[in-house]
Amino acid sequence: MNARQAGASSILGAHVGVLGAGQLGRMLGLAGRELGLQLTFLDPNAESPAGAIGELVVADYTDALALERLAAARVITFEFENVPVAAVRALEQKATVFPGSRALEVAQDRLSEKTCFRSLGIATPAFEAVNSWPELVAALGRVGMPAVLKTRRFGYDGKGQSVLRSEADARVAFERLGDAPLILEAFVPFERELSIIAVRSSLGEVACYPLVQNQHEGGILRKTLAPAPGVTVPLERAASQYIEKLLAHLDYVGVLALELFQVGEQLLANEIAPRVHNTGHWTIEGASTSQFENHLRAILGLPLGATDALSPCAMLNLIGDAPDPSAVLAVPDAHLHWYGKAPRPGRKVGHITVRAPDAETLARRVAELERIISSLPT
Ligand code: AMP
């Protein structure tokens, strides 16, 4: 057996550990099973969606015994962004973790994240750290109104933030959020929200998926159009340059997502997610290689797969409840993903990807799916 064959055979059946076992872990696991990998997930919730796909260790992320079990894997990754950095650092002493604790630490704090963007020349909305009422008043004086006040940590799906349009709003928001360290950002009158997903392998190979367009409601992602319609070559290039700078700076391995606001022909960075991302779910049916497979290829040092879109497509999140599967699947080229979670208001319980040969047909199919979904309680 030559060295190349030895490398290949050692990947076959390789054991991958994953911190977090939500729907992202489940889809990572499904891609991993195709590659013949064994997966062990760690999650405090015994009902986690990825438990149906691989071994599930139910314990806190800081549980020493559970981390020990995970450390036996060839490589460890995470699908949940709020895993304690200390747990990842502890694992790094014993095993290979991709992406590492550095990227996680930056992404967990909106201030470090935006400071990192700024240091790399990546444009962001104006921002200021806020730790007291006088600091908020002073920051508002510089940033102006409207502005967005956010907790620096543990904010997701629009939680932990308030738009400020008046001093009265500022008082109410500070009352609600002021116990935690905060960041004040200028409110961006964006034309649309975009995101880009890129992947870098442990061998340094990099690939970017096309820019996609995202629609949020109440801070929760509802719809992604992939590729984003009407993107100019300079805009696409600017987005890939931004994310490539981040990948290099963080010595990143795996899939990274960057959320952006488009204002005219300018892109402002909002946040990164150091993991597979909801705005990349379309890649399962819509791209040559899914973000989940590419993440696994990247962390295992395998060649990356092509990231081009196969046709115009859309991803619709299912929030709160299940639609009638027969109605969804009657729409041509629609694909239903159900995460096996108990329906609950505001909860992402599944998604639909729909493809079409052209933009007009896609718009018709999306409208039909939105009509089916709109009858559900969310
Ligand atoms: P985030 O948790 O930072 O991703 O924010 C959730 C959503 O709030 C974003 O997807 C935007 O729709 C909106 N948002 C966040 N920050 C800003 C901002 N600075 N200006 C305008 N809208 C924002």
Side-chain angles (χ1 to χ4, degrees):
M1 197 190 294
N2 64 32
R4 204 185 166 93
Q5 284 166 331
S9 64
S10 61
I11 299 291
L12 297 175
H15 189 187
V16 174
V18 186
L19 291 155
Q23 63 264 21
L24 300 175
R26 181 184 171 102
M27 289 182 269
L28 208 52
L30 288 167
R33 292 230 302 224
E34 295 280 322
L35 287 169
L37 305 173
Q38 273 185 70
L39 288 109
T40 300
F41 298 92
L42 170 60
D43 199 295
N45 177 6
E47 305 298 318
S48 296
I53 308 301
E55 182 194 15
L56 176 63
V57 177
V58 181
D60 198 81
Y61 293 119
T62 51
D63 185 296
L65 270 180
L67 291 174
E68 200 65 48
R69 271 176 80 180
L70 219 61
R74 178 194 178 98
V75 59
I76 296 158
T77 189
F78 42 85
E79 59 89 81
F80 176 59
E81 208 167 313
N82 287 324
V83 173
V85 170
V88 174
R89 287 224 183 91
L91 278 171
E92 282 171 339
Q93 300 303 312
K94 301 178 188 149
T96 305
V97 186
F98 288 140
S101 54
R102 184 156 161 239
L104 187 66
E105 197 171 20
V106 170
Q108 281 184 355
D109 180 346
R110 293 182 191 278
L111 185 66
S112 331
E113 189 175 51
K114 292 230 158 56
T115 308
C116 171
F117 295 156
R118 189 182 267 169
S119 75
L120 295 173
I122 297 172
T124 69
F127 66 91
E128 301 249 348
V130 167
N131 295 302
S132 64
W133 173 252
E135 279 184 23
L136 176 56
V137 173
L140 277 169
R142 289 185 290 267
V143 168
M145 286 225 228
V148 190
L149 187 65
K150 302 180 179 179
T151 55
R152 277 170 55 179
R153 303 172 69 83
F154 304 120
Y156 67 98
D157 285 350
K159 294 186 176 67
Q161 58 180 275
S162 276
V163 177
L164 314 183
R165 297 183 189 280
S166 64
E167 196 183 317
D169 286 352
R171 283 198 180 279
V172 173
F174 190 77
E175 202 48 36
R176 187 166 73 86
L177 306 172
D179 286 342
L182 303 173
I183 180 172
L184 183 77
E185 295 175 14
F187 179 88
V188 180
F190 54 79
E191 273 133 57
R192 57 177 173 169
E193 294 188 72
L194 300 171
S195 60
I196 184 162
I197 289 179
V199 55
R200 180 168 178 266
S201 84
S202 58
L203 306 176
E205 191 187 353
V206 171
C208 292
Y209 288 94
L211 263 172
V212 299
Q213 178 177 326
N214 305 312
Q215 187 184 318
H216 295 85
E217 276 164 40
I220 304 183
L221 180 71
R222 300 281 156 165
K223 177 164 72 179
T224 295
L225 293 179
V231 169
T232 59
V233 173
L235 206 69
E236 190 84 56
R237 197 178 305 131
S240 24
Q241 279 171 356
Y242 279 0
I243 201 161
E244 283 172 18
K245 277 188 193 176
L246 285 161
L247 291 172
H249 174 75
L250 297 168
D251 193 16
Y252 194 93
V253 175
V255 160
L256 178 72
L258 171 63
E259 294 191 57
L260 300 154
F261 299 129
Q262 182 179 356
V263 184
E265 274 301 285
Q266 205 200 0
L267 292 175
L268 299 177
N270 178 32
E271 62 179 359
I272 51 169
R275 53 170 170 77
V276 286
H277 196 244
N278 196 172
T279 67
H281 291 0
W282 67 274
T283 59
I284 297 176
E285 290 92 6
S288 297
T289 316
S290 81
Q291 62 164 346
F292 302 100
E293 181 176 335
N294 259 338
H295 182 73
L296 293 167
R297 290 188 188 210
I299 65 175
L300 288 163
L302 294 166
L304 298 179
T307 48
D308 48 311
L310 299 173
S311 66
C313 74
M315 189 285 310
L316 301 173
N317 267 340
L318 297 172
I319 295 163
D321 210 349
D324 170 9
S326 308
V328 170
L329 297 175
V331 176
D333 219 353
H335 304 267
L336 179 61
H337 296 253
W338 184 247
Y339 307 148
K341 290 158 93 171
R344 195 194 293 158
R347 197 177 206 198
K348 291 175 184 168
V349 288
H351 75 265
I352 300 165
T353 303
V354 60
R355 299 182 298 198
D358 54 70
E360 292 70 35
T361 315
L362 184 67
R364 268 201 309 281
R365 290 177 184 175
V366 168
E368 174 60 8
L369 288 165
E370 284 180 328
R371 192 189 59 73
I372 295 165
I373 294 173
S374 67
S375 59
L376 295 173
T378 56

